[in-house]
Amino acid sequence: MEKFLQKGTEITAPVPMAPPGTTGLGGFEVPLSKGSTLRSDASALNVGVLHLVPNLEVFPLLADPKMYEPNTIDLSDHSELEYWFKILSEHLPDLVDKAVASEGGTDDAKRRGDAFARAFSAHLARLMEEPAAYGKLGLAKLLEMREECLREFHFVDAYISIKQRENEASLAVLPDLLMELDSLDEETRLLTLIEGVLAANIFDWGSRACVDLYHKGTIIEIYRMSRNKMHRPWRVDDFDAFRERMLGTGDKKLPPHRRALLFVDNSGADIVLGMLPLARELIRRGTEVVLVANSLPALNDVTAMELPDIVAEAAKHCDILRRAAESGGLLVDAMTNTSDSSKENSPSVPLMVVENGCGGPCIDLRQIILEGMGRALHTNLNARFKCDALKVRLSGYYFIGVVSIS
């Protein structure tokens, strides 16, 4: 780290390396057992947690692993590269402020924040001149490089206080939302749940336009405003097919999925008011749910280590979630943040990669739900799986819903 402090802006950007104690460059791991648990401090519940030590395996539910290409955006297009470099550069000052604040705003934190900004800017400058400097460049790898740089300068979780505050605010209104959902008939409730996932997905501190919304109201006010704008038809709208699979048509009723793997995105309203109510609905229908989150912090994304406390707190207000957590019908798993550059031919599921989900949880898996821009648009938009897959994301500030089935 000191090389950046001493040389100021006159630096040569090294290849980012994973610091000791992190998962580094990851992939899949076969879980030890369903019984591994983390006890939540917020509750007496033992929320089932599949263990978190990574080991590469090909995700078993890809339809054609050899043809899998995670990245949707082609960064070999210079205009695309310039666009994303501009986005990352413009977001950098706010990220530095959050990172310094997460460490108490001390002089040492400010010094490390300035060094991080110079180092990351140097990486971007080098990649602009030589896009293949660190190997094949995809958007997932570019975004992960930013997180690796933060960890290199010992910023463990730049958004931790923001995530905690938004989780508390969202959990406070969750009982009212669940009561509203329970008052609806089955078909209306399913549509309202998907609208809720789209509306809550607006809370992404990686989007400048969305960050601007935070200055215009509380997160609950923003969530309600977003929900009111989620009118069909959406930009991509496969909801009718999803509804038919879930509820059937006429006398034809399909059995519920035995297990669903939900790749979740942000903390706060996104997980609490969006994905948890959807998970609850699947559980109500007899489906075992595995919530899959980051193993390491990335912006305001929820992590696997944070999920047990969130689930335990939510379960205080919901018997369905509580019984599922107690019986093993609601589990938590982790995903790593990149694919291993030493195993470039081993397909994964960037932006995030399940560490443990390809063992027990995938054996009887019949549904995958990918939520958020990083998991369902920037990557995996064109991915095909051996089971039902739903991709749900809010595309941009203008509330363009994208609900697609593959």
Side-chain angles (χ1 to χ4, degrees):
M1 181 175 73
E2 293 302 323
K3 58 181 174 293
F4 298 108
L5 306 178
Q6 295 167 3
K7 297 183 181 180
T9 58
E10 299 298 321
I11 61 177
T12 300
V15 177
M17 299 297 291
T22 72
T23 57
L25 304 174
F28 285 93
E29 178 185 346
V30 178
L32 287 174
S33 72
K34 181 175 169 179
S36 298
T37 60
L38 284 180
R39 179 174 293 279
S40 167
D41 294 332
S43 169
L45 280 181
N46 277 337
V47 180
V49 178
L50 301 168
H51 74 301
L52 306 176
V53 182
N55 184 22
L56 281 170
E57 287 190 17
V58 175
F59 187 56
L61 295 173
L62 285 170
D64 189 350
K66 292 182 179 179
M67 297 299 295
Y68 175 64
E69 168 51 52
N71 291 294
T72 305
I73 298 169
D74 182 9
L75 291 186
S76 64
D77 182 334
H78 195 71
S79 62
E80 283 284 359
L81 196 61
E82 283 187 329
Y83 170 80
W84 283 102
F85 280 17
K86 180 182 178 183
I87 292 292
L88 292 173
S89 297
E90 290 178 347
H91 184 247
L92 189 55
D94 184 69
L95 178 57
V96 171
D97 288 345
K98 297 293 188 300
V100 171
S102 73
E103 296 286 322
T106 64
D107 289 341
D108 176 66
K110 293 176 182 177
R111 184 175 65 95
R112 288 185 283 121
D114 289 341
F116 156 71
R118 291 196 297 270
F120 185 59
S121 296
H123 282 304
L124 293 181
R126 180 176 180 184
L127 287 170
M128 181 59 75
E129 294 296 324
E130 189 182 353
Y134 307 148
K136 183 180 179 181
L137 182 62
L139 183 56
K141 185 175 289 188
L142 184 61
L143 297 175
E144 173 57 14
M145 183 181 70
R146 177 180 59 188
E147 304 306 319
E148 293 279 2
C149 281
L150 279 168
R151 291 191 285 271
E152 183 174 352
F153 291 96
H154 303 166
F155 291 110
V156 178
D157 191 347
Y159 287 80
I160 186 169
S161 60
I162 293 172
K163 292 192 294 183
Q164 291 171 344
R165 183 169 65 248
E166 293 186 356
N167 286 337
E168 291 172 3
S170 300
L171 285 163
V173 300
L174 178 63
D176 291 338
L177 174 61
L178 298 182
M179 188 179 302
E180 174 192 341
L181 290 168
D182 289 344
S183 70
L184 304 174
D185 63 80
E186 193 174 39
E187 185 169 333
T188 304
R189 186 169 67 241
L190 190 62
L191 175 59
T192 303
L193 283 164
I194 296 300
E195 289 175 339
V197 171
L198 289 169
N201 193 231
I202 196 173
F203 294 96
D204 185 347
W205 281 88
S207 166
R208 170 58 60 186
C210 293
V211 169
D212 291 342
L213 285 176
Y214 283 85
H215 304 298
K216 300 178 181 179
T218 66
I219 63 171
I220 303 308
E221 291 169 342
I222 296 169
Y223 168 75
R224 288 172 178 159
M225 178 269 293
S226 179
R227 243 184 80 174
N228 290 336
K229 291 179 178 287
M230 288 301 150
H231 303 302
R232 298 181 67 196
W234 301 309
R235 173 68 63 85
V236 177
D237 191 341
D238 289 342
F239 176 78
D240 289 341
F242 174 66
R243 178 184 58 202
E244 182 176 340
R245 173 60 187 87
M246 295 293 290
L247 305 181
T249 55
D251 295 332
K252 183 181 179 182
K253 301 290 184 181
L254 296 174
H257 298 94
R258 288 194 59 186
R259 185 174 286 119
L261 197 62
L262 275 59
F263 290 72
V264 299
D265 192 2
N266 304 303
S267 291
D270 197 1
I271 178 64
V272 176
L273 304 181
M275 292 301 280
L276 271 184
L278 179 59
R280 175 180 182 260
E281 183 68 17
L282 295 174
I283 292 167
R284 189 205 297 260
R285 291 176 50 79
T287 300
E288 181 183 289
V289 171
V290 182
L291 300 173
V292 188
N294 293 12
S295 59
L296 296 175
L299 294 178
N300 66 315
D301 287 9
V302 68
T303 68
M305 294 298 291
E306 294 163 348
L307 272 177
D309 282 339
I310 294 172
V311 171
E313 193 63 35
K316 292 180 180 179
H317 310 292
C318 176
D319 287 341
I320 295 174
L321 293 176
R322 179 181 56 79
R323 287 194 297 266
E326 289 174 342
S327 65
L330 177 59
L331 299 168
V332 171
D333 202 359
M335 46 194 172
T336 58
N337 298 53
T338 61
S339 56
D340 190 338
S341 59
S342 67
K343 300 193 178 194
E344 292 177 345
N345 294 324
S346 294
S348 54
V349 184
L351 181 61
M352 306 299 165
V353 183
V354 178
E355 289 184 1
N356 312 305
C358 73
C362 284
I363 291 173
D364 296 319
L365 181 65
R366 293 294 179 266
Q367 186 178 47
I368 294 172
I369 298 179
L370 296 163
E371 183 234 359
M373 292 285 283
R375 296 153 187 79
L377 184 61
H378 296 155
T379 63
N380 299 313
L381 176 64
N382 302 313
R384 295 293 178 265
F385 300 94
K386 296 176 182 178
C387 62
D388 292 343
L390 178 69
K391 302 167 187 178
V392 186
R393 62 271 187 198
L394 181 68
S395 182
Y397 171 77
Y398 295 103
F399 308 99
I400 302 170
V402 178
V403 178
S404 60
I405 289 179
S406 64

